[in-house]
Structures are given as C-alpha cells and as structure tokens.
Amino acid sequence: MSMGMLGSSMTVEMKATSWSEPHTGRPVRMLFVTKSGGRTQTVDANFGPKYADIVMESGGPVQKKRLLIPTDGPVVDDPMPM
C-alpha cells in the first residue's frame, strides 16, 4: 500500500499467512508481518482447542498473550479476502 502522510510518501507492506484444518476450516496458525518506515511488526497466533497463543514482536520486548477462544461461534480466517 502506497500513500501520503503529512506531505511525504509512505509505503506499508502487509503479509498475512494462514493455516487451517482442511475439513473444518478452523484456523490452526495465523502469521501477520507488517513493514513500514524501516520497522517490522510480527504477530504469530497458534490456535489450540481452547486457547490462542499469540507472540508479538515490534522491535521492543517480545509480548506473549494467551486468549480464550470463544465457544459461542466459529473462529474463521481473516475475512478481508472475501
């Protein structure tokens, strides 16, 4: 994505990769890499039966989160391609 910000040109590169279970479409892993202004941010999500373990890196300390997966609806892949 190329754009202008405050009169200067700016480029943002975003790459998303997803792995899903073939029979259910349920996500197994999602990897997002965003690059802009010489910086890179990476978000890596690994899905288990009840929790998603997330690792985020953006040049500072690595952050790790464990999120409970909701049970009241299906978890789907990134809806943007649709």
Side-chain angles (χ1 to χ4, degrees), residues 18-30 45-53 67-71 73-78:
S18 297
W19 294 263
S20 301
E21 290 180 354
H23 300 295
T24 63
R26 184 181 179 278
V28 174
R29 181 178 177 206
M30 293 181 175
N46 288 287
F47 293 81
K50 294 186 178 189
Y51 294 94
D53 292 307
L67 303 175
L68 182 63
I69 296 173
T71 57
V75 175
V76 297
D77 193 356
D78 183 2

mmCIF file of all heavy atoms in Angstrom, residues 18-30 45-53 67-71 73-78:
data_model
loop_
_atom_site.group_PDB
_atom_site.id
_atom_site.type_symbol
_atom_site.label_atom_id
_atom_site.label_comp_id
_atom_site.label_asym_id
_atom_site.label_seq_id
_atom_site.Cartn_x
_atom_site.Cartn_y
_atom_site.Cartn_z
ATOM 1 N N SER A 18 -2.133 -17.871 6.595
ATOM 2 C CA SER A 18 -2.985 -18.637 7.500
ATOM 3 C C SER A 18 -2.931 -20.116 7.151
ATOM 4 O O SER A 18 -2.865 -20.485 5.979
ATOM 5 C CB SER A 18 -4.438 -18.176 7.391
ATOM 6 O OG SER A 18 -4.562 -16.841 7.798
ATOM 7 N N TRP A 19 -2.961 -20.927 8.193
ATOM 8 C CA TRP A 19 -3.063 -22.372 8.051
ATOM 9 C C TRP A 19 -4.369 -22.790 8.708
ATOM 10 O O TRP A 19 -4.669 -22.366 9.814
ATOM 11 C CB TRP A 19 -1.904 -23.071 8.748
ATOM 12 C CG TRP A 19 -0.568 -22.805 8.127
ATOM 13 C CD1 TRP A 19 0.090 -23.599 7.242
ATOM 14 C CD2 TRP A 19 0.286 -21.677 8.361
ATOM 15 N NE1 TRP A 19 1.306 -23.029 6.910
ATOM 16 C CE2 TRP A 19 1.452 -21.845 7.583
ATOM 17 C CE3 TRP A 19 0.186 -20.520 9.142
ATOM 18 C CZ2 TRP A 19 2.490 -20.929 7.571
ATOM 19 C CZ3 TRP A 19 1.214 -19.595 9.122
ATOM 20 C CH2 TRP A 19 2.356 -19.807 8.348
ATOM 21 N N SER A 20 -5.147 -23.646 8.044
ATOM 22 C CA SER A 20 -6.454 -24.073 8.566
ATOM 23 C C SER A 20 -6.585 -25.579 8.512
ATOM 24 O O SER A 20 -5.943 -26.240 7.688
ATOM 25 C CB SER A 20 -7.585 -23.454 7.736
ATOM 26 O OG SER A 20 -7.520 -22.058 7.756
ATOM 27 N N GLU A 21 -7.454 -26.106 9.376
ATOM 28 C CA GLU A 21 -7.787 -27.525 9.309
ATOM 29 C C GLU A 21 -8.557 -27.761 8.019
ATOM 30 O O GLU A 21 -9.498 -27.026 7.715
ATOM 31 C CB GLU A 21 -8.638 -27.934 10.513
ATOM 32 C CG GLU A 21 -7.890 -27.931 11.823
ATOM 33 C CD GLU A 21 -8.763 -28.335 13.001
ATOM 34 O OE1 GLU A 21 -9.990 -28.509 12.827
ATOM 35 O OE2 GLU A 21 -8.206 -28.472 14.094
ATOM 36 N N PRO A 22 -8.179 -28.755 7.237
ATOM 37 C CA PRO A 22 -8.813 -28.933 5.927
ATOM 38 C C PRO A 22 -10.299 -29.261 5.966
ATOM 39 O O PRO A 22 -11.047 -28.845 5.092
ATOM 40 C CB PRO A 22 -8.024 -30.078 5.282
ATOM 41 C CG PRO A 22 -7.155 -30.658 6.332
ATOM 42 C CD PRO A 22 -7.122 -29.716 7.490
ATOM 43 N N HIS A 23 -10.765 -29.976 6.982
ATOM 44 C CA HIS A 23 -12.167 -30.404 6.996
ATOM 45 C C HIS A 23 -13.109 -29.385 7.627
ATOM 46 O O HIS A 23 -14.268 -29.306 7.248
ATOM 47 C CB HIS A 23 -12.300 -31.746 7.716
ATOM 48 C CG HIS A 23 -11.492 -32.835 7.068
ATOM 49 N ND1 HIS A 23 -11.738 -33.308 5.806
ATOM 50 C CD2 HIS A 23 -10.406 -33.515 7.508
ATOM 51 C CE1 HIS A 23 -10.863 -34.231 5.488
ATOM 52 N NE2 HIS A 23 -10.027 -34.379 6.506
ATOM 53 N N THR A 24 -12.608 -28.604 8.575
ATOM 54 C CA THR A 24 -13.483 -27.670 9.284
ATOM 55 C C THR A 24 -13.229 -26.211 8.907
ATOM 56 O O THR A 24 -14.072 -25.366 9.146
ATOM 57 C CB THR A 24 -13.298 -27.789 10.804
ATOM 58 O OG1 THR A 24 -11.945 -27.417 11.135
ATOM 59 C CG2 THR A 24 -13.566 -29.202 11.285
ATOM 60 N N GLY A 25 -12.063 -25.916 8.340
ATOM 61 C CA GLY A 25 -11.715 -24.535 8.040
ATOM 62 C C GLY A 25 -11.263 -23.759 9.262
ATOM 63 O O GLY A 25 -10.943 -22.572 9.189
ATOM 64 N N ARG A 26 -11.222 -24.420 10.414
ATOM 65 C CA ARG A 26 -10.808 -23.766 11.665
ATOM 66 C C ARG A 26 -9.336 -23.385 11.590
ATOM 67 O O ARG A 26 -8.500 -24.178 11.178
ATOM 68 C CB ARG A 26 -11.033 -24.734 12.826
ATOM 69 C CG ARG A 26 -10.740 -24.172 14.185
ATOM 70 C CD ARG A 26 -10.989 -25.260 15.253
ATOM 71 N NE ARG A 26 -10.694 -24.750 16.571
ATOM 72 C CZ ARG A 26 -9.471 -24.682 17.086
ATOM 73 N NH1 ARG A 26 -8.441 -25.090 16.397
ATOM 74 N NH2 ARG A 26 -9.281 -24.198 18.294
ATOM 75 N N PRO A 27 -8.992 -22.152 11.972
ATOM 76 C CA PRO A 27 -7.586 -21.743 11.916
ATOM 77 C C PRO A 27 -6.710 -22.555 12.871
ATOM 78 O O PRO A 27 -7.125 -22.875 13.980
ATOM 79 C CB PRO A 27 -7.594 -20.276 12.342
ATOM 80 C CG PRO A 27 -9.004 -19.869 12.456
ATOM 81 C CD PRO A 27 -9.859 -21.083 12.435
ATOM 82 N N VAL A 28 -5.511 -22.874 12.403
ATOM 83 C CA VAL A 28 -4.509 -23.551 13.212
ATOM 84 C C VAL A 28 -3.405 -22.556 13.578
ATOM 85 O O VAL A 28 -2.935 -22.530 14.703
ATOM 86 C CB VAL A 28 -3.911 -24.750 12.438
ATOM 87 C CG1 VAL A 28 -2.769 -25.391 13.204
ATOM 88 C CG2 VAL A 28 -4.986 -25.768 12.119
ATOM 89 N N ARG A 29 -3.033 -21.730 12.612
ATOM 90 C CA ARG A 29 -1.994 -20.719 12.828
ATOM 91 C C ARG A 29 -2.233 -19.543 11.888
ATOM 92 O O ARG A 29 -2.667 -19.725 10.752
ATOM 93 C CB ARG A 29 -0.622 -21.319 12.557
ATOM 94 C CG ARG A 29 0.508 -20.343 12.789
ATOM 95 C CD ARG A 29 1.861 -20.987 12.545
ATOM 96 N NE ARG A 29 2.919 -19.991 12.708
ATOM 97 C CZ ARG A 29 4.096 -20.064 12.125
ATOM 98 N NH1 ARG A 29 4.392 -21.084 11.344
ATOM 99 N NH2 ARG A 29 4.987 -19.131 12.321
ATOM 100 N N MET A 30 -1.962 -18.340 12.369
ATOM 101 C CA MET A 30 -2.013 -17.125 11.552
ATOM 102 C C MET A 30 -0.746 -16.327 11.818
ATOM 103 O O MET A 30 -0.359 -16.148 12.976
ATOM 104 C CB MET A 30 -3.230 -16.271 11.885
ATOM 105 C CG MET A 30 -4.536 -16.879 11.531
ATOM 106 S SD MET A 30 -5.882 -15.751 11.951
ATOM 107 C CE MET A 30 -7.271 -16.636 11.311
ATOM 108 N N ALA A 45 -0.009 -16.192 15.715
ATOM 109 C CA ALA A 45 -1.073 -16.769 16.546
ATOM 110 C C ALA A 45 -1.177 -18.264 16.273
ATOM 111 O O ALA A 45 -1.332 -18.675 15.117
ATOM 112 C CB ALA A 45 -2.403 -16.089 16.246
ATOM 113 N N ASN A 46 -1.084 -19.059 17.314
ATOM 114 C CA ASN A 46 -1.241 -20.511 17.219
ATOM 115 C C ASN A 46 -2.488 -20.906 17.994
ATOM 116 O O ASN A 46 -2.617 -20.586 19.182
ATOM 117 C CB ASN A 46 -0.007 -21.217 17.787
ATOM 118 C CG ASN A 46 1.181 -21.055 16.874
ATOM 119 O OD1 ASN A 46 1.235 -21.662 15.823
ATOM 120 N ND2 ASN A 46 2.125 -20.213 17.262
ATOM 121 N N PHE A 47 -3.412 -21.600 17.310
ATOM 122 C CA PHE A 47 -4.712 -21.927 17.884
ATOM 123 C C PHE A 47 -4.741 -23.356 18.398
ATOM 124 O O PHE A 47 -4.433 -24.293 17.668
ATOM 125 C CB PHE A 47 -5.809 -21.753 16.824
ATOM 126 C CG PHE A 47 -6.009 -20.328 16.406
ATOM 127 C CD1 PHE A 47 -5.173 -19.742 15.475
ATOM 128 C CD2 PHE A 47 -7.022 -19.574 16.963
ATOM 129 C CE1 PHE A 47 -5.348 -18.426 15.084
ATOM 130 C CE2 PHE A 47 -7.201 -18.248 16.582
ATOM 131 C CZ PHE A 47 -6.359 -17.676 15.647
ATOM 132 N N GLY A 48 -5.110 -23.513 19.658
ATOM 133 C CA GLY A 48 -5.325 -24.822 20.256
ATOM 134 C C GLY A 48 -6.813 -25.053 20.403
ATOM 135 O O GLY A 48 -7.622 -24.274 19.898
ATOM 136 N N PRO A 49 -7.216 -26.092 21.123
ATOM 137 C CA PRO A 49 -8.647 -26.364 21.272
ATOM 138 C C PRO A 49 -9.393 -25.302 22.079
ATOM 139 O O PRO A 49 -10.542 -25.009 21.798
ATOM 140 C CB PRO A 49 -8.705 -27.706 21.980
ATOM 141 C CG PRO A 49 -7.307 -28.161 22.182
ATOM 142 C CD PRO A 49 -6.374 -27.110 21.695
ATOM 143 N N LYS A 50 -8.729 -24.699 23.071
ATOM 144 C CA LYS A 50 -9.406 -23.724 23.925
ATOM 145 C C LYS A 50 -8.754 -22.349 23.933
ATOM 146 O O LYS A 50 -9.397 -21.363 24.275
ATOM 147 C CB LYS A 50 -9.468 -24.238 25.364
ATOM 148 C CG LYS A 50 -10.340 -25.458 25.527
ATOM 149 C CD LYS A 50 -10.490 -25.827 26.979
ATOM 150 C CE LYS A 50 -11.419 -27.016 27.109
ATOM 151 N NZ LYS A 50 -11.784 -27.300 28.479
ATOM 152 N N TYR A 51 -7.485 -22.274 23.584
ATOM 153 C CA TYR A 51 -6.751 -21.013 23.664
ATOM 154 C C TYR A 51 -5.985 -20.720 22.375
ATOM 155 O O TYR A 51 -5.590 -21.646 21.665
ATOM 156 C CB TYR A 51 -5.738 -21.043 24.825
ATOM 157 C CG TYR A 51 -6.378 -21.125 26.176
ATOM 158 C CD1 TYR A 51 -6.583 -22.350 26.803
ATOM 159 C CD2 TYR A 51 -6.780 -19.975 26.840
ATOM 160 C CE1 TYR A 51 -7.179 -22.428 28.046
ATOM 161 C CE2 TYR A 51 -7.381 -20.045 28.093
ATOM 162 C CZ TYR A 51 -7.574 -21.274 28.684
ATOM 163 O OH TYR A 51 -8.168 -21.335 29.915
ATOM 164 N N ALA A 52 -5.776 -19.430 22.130
ATOM 165 C CA ALA A 52 -4.876 -18.981 21.069
ATOM 166 C C ALA A 52 -3.670 -18.358 21.761
ATOM 167 O O ALA A 52 -3.817 -17.473 22.605
ATOM 168 C CB ALA A 52 -5.561 -17.961 20.168
ATOM 169 N N ASP A 53 -2.492 -18.859 21.438
ATOM 170 C CA ASP A 53 -1.253 -18.316 21.987
ATOM 171 C C ASP A 53 -0.665 -17.352 20.960
ATOM 172 O O ASP A 53 -0.396 -17.737 19.819
ATOM 173 C CB ASP A 53 -0.268 -19.439 22.311
ATOM 174 C CG ASP A 53 -0.766 -20.293 23.464
ATOM 175 O OD1 ASP A 53 -1.093 -19.709 24.518
ATOM 176 O OD2 ASP A 53 -0.827 -21.528 23.319
ATOM 177 N N LEU A 67 -5.139 -16.113 24.768
ATOM 178 C CA LEU A 67 -6.525 -15.674 24.686
ATOM 179 C C LEU A 67 -7.458 -16.871 24.648
ATOM 180 O O LEU A 67 -7.226 -17.833 23.902
ATOM 181 C CB LEU A 67 -6.738 -14.836 23.419
ATOM 182 C CG LEU A 67 -5.850 -13.605 23.250
ATOM 183 C CD1 LEU A 67 -6.097 -12.962 21.902
ATOM 184 C CD2 LEU A 67 -6.096 -12.623 24.371
ATOM 185 N N LEU A 68 -8.512 -16.789 25.430
ATOM 186 C CA LEU A 68 -9.536 -17.828 25.420
ATOM 187 C C LEU A 68 -10.313 -17.727 24.115
ATOM 188 O O LEU A 68 -10.770 -16.651 23.729
ATOM 189 C CB LEU A 68 -10.469 -17.649 26.622
ATOM 190 C CG LEU A 68 -11.568 -18.687 26.791
ATOM 191 C CD1 LEU A 68 -10.969 -20.075 27.025
ATOM 192 C CD2 LEU A 68 -12.464 -18.291 27.954
ATOM 193 N N ILE A 69 -10.483 -18.840 23.429
ATOM 194 C CA ILE A 69 -11.246 -18.855 22.177
ATOM 195 C C ILE A 69 -12.728 -18.929 22.528
ATOM 196 O O ILE A 69 -13.153 -19.817 23.276
ATOM 197 C CB ILE A 69 -10.829 -20.051 21.301
ATOM 198 C CG1 ILE A 69 -9.358 -19.895 20.891
ATOM 199 C CG2 ILE A 69 -11.729 -20.171 20.081
ATOM 200 C CD1 ILE A 69 -8.790 -21.091 20.161
ATOM 201 N N PRO A 70 -13.548 -18.008 22.010
ATOM 202 C CA PRO A 70 -14.986 -18.024 22.309
ATOM 203 C C PRO A 70 -15.631 -19.328 21.839
ATOM 204 O O PRO A 70 -15.242 -19.897 20.828
ATOM 205 C CB PRO A 70 -15.548 -16.838 21.518
ATOM 206 C CG PRO A 70 -14.376 -15.996 21.173
ATOM 207 C CD PRO A 70 -13.188 -16.899 21.135
ATOM 208 N N THR A 71 -16.629 -19.775 22.585
ATOM 209 C CA THR A 71 -17.326 -21.021 22.228
ATOM 210 C C THR A 71 -18.706 -20.761 21.629
ATOM 211 O O THR A 71 -19.379 -21.708 21.237
ATOM 212 C CB THR A 71 -17.489 -21.911 23.477
ATOM 213 O OG1 THR A 71 -18.203 -21.176 24.479
ATOM 214 C CG2 THR A 71 -16.142 -22.345 24.021
ATOM 215 N N GLY A 73 -19.458 -19.219 18.803
ATOM 216 C CA GLY A 73 -19.452 -19.060 17.365
ATOM 217 C C GLY A 73 -18.156 -19.574 16.788
ATOM 218 O O GLY A 73 -17.171 -19.733 17.508
ATOM 219 N N PRO A 74 -18.142 -19.842 15.487
ATOM 220 C CA PRO A 74 -16.910 -20.363 14.889
ATOM 221 C C PRO A 74 -15.840 -19.292 14.741
ATOM 222 O O PRO A 74 -16.134 -18.116 14.529
ATOM 223 C CB PRO A 74 -17.375 -20.853 13.514
ATOM 224 C CG PRO A 74 -18.545 -19.994 13.195
ATOM 225 C CD PRO A 74 -19.219 -19.709 14.523
ATOM 226 N N VAL A 75 -14.589 -19.706 14.871
ATOM 227 C CA VAL A 75 -13.465 -18.826 14.585
ATOM 228 C C VAL A 75 -13.147 -19.026 13.115
ATOM 229 O O VAL A 75 -13.009 -20.158 12.644
ATOM 230 C CB VAL A 75 -12.244 -19.178 15.459
ATOM 231 C CG1 VAL A 75 -11.047 -18.347 15.071
ATOM 232 C CG2 VAL A 75 -12.579 -18.980 16.930
ATOM 233 N N VAL A 76 -13.046 -17.942 12.370
ATOM 234 C CA VAL A 76 -12.770 -18.023 10.936
ATOM 235 C C VAL A 76 -11.478 -17.284 10.618
ATOM 236 O O VAL A 76 -10.959 -16.528 11.414
ATOM 237 C CB VAL A 76 -13.934 -17.446 10.096
ATOM 238 C CG1 VAL A 76 -15.198 -18.257 10.308
ATOM 239 C CG2 VAL A 76 -14.174 -15.992 10.429
ATOM 240 N N ASP A 77 -10.995 -17.509 9.427
ATOM 241 C CA ASP A 77 -9.797 -16.847 8.936
ATOM 242 C C ASP A 77 -10.099 -15.369 8.705
ATOM 243 O O ASP A 77 -11.227 -14.915 8.842
ATOM 244 C CB ASP A 77 -9.368 -17.519 7.626
ATOM 245 C CG ASP A 77 -7.972 -17.137 7.194
ATOM 246 O OD1 ASP A 77 -7.341 -16.294 7.851
ATOM 247 O OD2 ASP A 77 -7.507 -17.699 6.199
ATOM 248 N N ASP A 78 -9.086 -14.610 8.358
ATOM 249 C CA ASP A 78 -9.217 -13.186 8.067
ATOM 250 C C ASP A 78 -10.292 -12.979 6.991
ATOM 251 O O ASP A 78 -10.190 -13.533 5.905
ATOM 252 C CB ASP A 78 -7.860 -12.660 7.587
ATOM 253 C CG ASP A 78 -7.841 -11.172 7.330
ATOM 254 O OD1 ASP A 78 -8.871 -10.514 7.555
ATOM 255 O OD2 ASP A 78 -6.803 -10.673 6.904
#
